[in-house]
Amino acid sequence: AQRVTQPEKLLSVFKGAPVELKCNYSYSGSPELFWYVQYSRQRLQLLLRHISRESIKGFTADLNKGETSFHLKKPFAQEEDSAMYYCALYVYNQGGKLIFGQGTELSVKP
Amino acid sequence: DAMVIQNPRYQVTQFGKPVTLSCSQTLNHNVMYWYQQKSSQAPKLLFHYYDKDFNNEADTPDNFQSRRPNTSFCFLDIRSPGLGDAAMYLCATSEGHSYEQYFGPGTRLTVT
């Protein structure tokens, strides 16, 4: 089965603290994973993709095939990071589609 | 700014009364998607259009249909809304099948 699981509905941290948003996936093929973000009153948008191994807004995510995980990390959280974060798996069914996790709300307190 | 627009942002309909949600885009993307997102749940793909080719997800109820009259517009029709169809409906676009999808702000549907 193709599935993305984000175990935490809400993650609350203080400004400057490290952040890790968890994502686990189930997929028989070679996984392509992404993080999408939705800031307050804004639309859902792509944050980063595992292929590029880039850091966007200080966030990184490493694909761990052994643990079937793609956790999103940032060493020092900022208040502007407060948002809803969705992990997504891209699968090649009917051309291609995204399977989203349920999302984790990150709240960064001053 | 090129973007994805959804109208209306909030829609209230009565149980069993047909409703249409609309999406338009100025990105000139050839793929348009409709997702349903219920409270505290993941966005779930209902169907998508690749150009004029319609692709329905296997578990999308027959009650949900879609039309794409041209590249820019796509409509979601709910023939007989039930209380369980209350949700946020998201439209998205991409250039070809892609993980990089551009989302609209969504339409929140309430069924009374």
Side-chain angles (χ1 to χ4, degrees):
Chain A
Q2 303 155 351
R3 188 169 55 246
V4 176
T5 304
Q6 293 179 250
E8 302 143 328
K9 271 193 170 180
L10 172 65
L11 184 62
S12 185
V13 302
F14 286 102
K15 177 183 173 181
V19 168
E20 181 179 69
L21 292 94
K22 290 184 166 50
C23 171
N24 289 92
Y25 67 90
S26 172
Y27 184 52
S28 57
S30 183
E32 293 184 25
L33 286 143
F34 308 87
W35 279 95
Y36 273 75
V37 62
Q38 186 169 25
Y39 299 102
S40 179
R41 287 188 288 276
Q42 294 187 29
R43 54 198 68 198
L44 195 57
Q45 58 187 294
L46 179 64
L47 178 64
L48 61 76
R49 47 197 162 175
H50 87 274
I51 293 175
S52 64
R53 302 184 66 81
E54 57 195 343
S55 171
I56 303 291
K57 299 185 179 183
F59 284 98
T60 59
D62 287 322
L63 176 61
N64 185 324
K65 291 186 180 180
E67 296 182 358
T68 59
S69 69
F70 187 58
H71 302 328
L72 184 67
K73 300 177 184 178
K74 185 169 183 176
F76 307 104
Q78 303 299 314
E79 289 179 68
E80 55 265 30
D81 296 328
S82 295
M84 197 74 186
Y85 290 82
Y86 293 92
C87 183
L89 170 70
Y90 192 69
V91 298
Y92 291 90
N93 288 356
Q94 291 185 297
K97 66 177 183 179
L98 286 169
I99 296 174
F100 286 92
Q102 293 178 304
T104 297
E105 182 182 353
L106 174 64
S107 174
V108 182
K109 298 180 179 178
Chain B
D1 277 346
M3 57 196 303
V4 181
I5 302 158
Q6 289 188 246
N7 286 308
R9 296 291 305 277
Y10 301 90
Q11 176 73 58
V12 181
T13 191
Q14 292 178 335
F15 182 93
K17 184 174 181 181
V19 65
T20 294
L21 309 182
S22 102
C23 176
S24 64
Q25 56 133 339
T26 60
L27 296 161
N28 205 33
H29 285 166
N30 59 346
V31 186
M32 295 187 78
Y33 308 83
W34 279 104
Y35 290 85
Q36 179 192 61
Q37 186 177 24
K38 295 186 177 180
S39 181
S40 299
Q41 294 186 23
K44 181 178 176 300
L45 183 64
L46 294 172
F47 28 57
H48 75 273
Y49 272 96
Y50 190 111
D51 293 323
K52 294 184 178 182
D53 293 332
F54 178 69
N55 296 274
N56 198 29
E57 291 299 300
D59 55 356
T60 297
D62 292 340
N63 199 24
F64 290 84
Q65 297 184 340
S66 185
R67 295 170 284 135
R68 189 179 186 186
N70 53 53
T71 301
S72 301
F73 285 86
C74 195
F75 300 99
L76 170 61
D77 300 309
I78 309 176
R79 290 192 296 184
S80 182
L83 298 179
D85 297 328
M88 177 72 84
Y89 289 88
L90 299 169
C91 175
T93 72
S94 67
E95 184 54 36
H97 283 121
S98 174
Y99 59 82
E100 186 161 12
Q101 297 179 12
Y102 294 79
F103 283 80
T107 294
R108 184 167 296 283
L109 178 68
T110 300
V111 182
T112 61

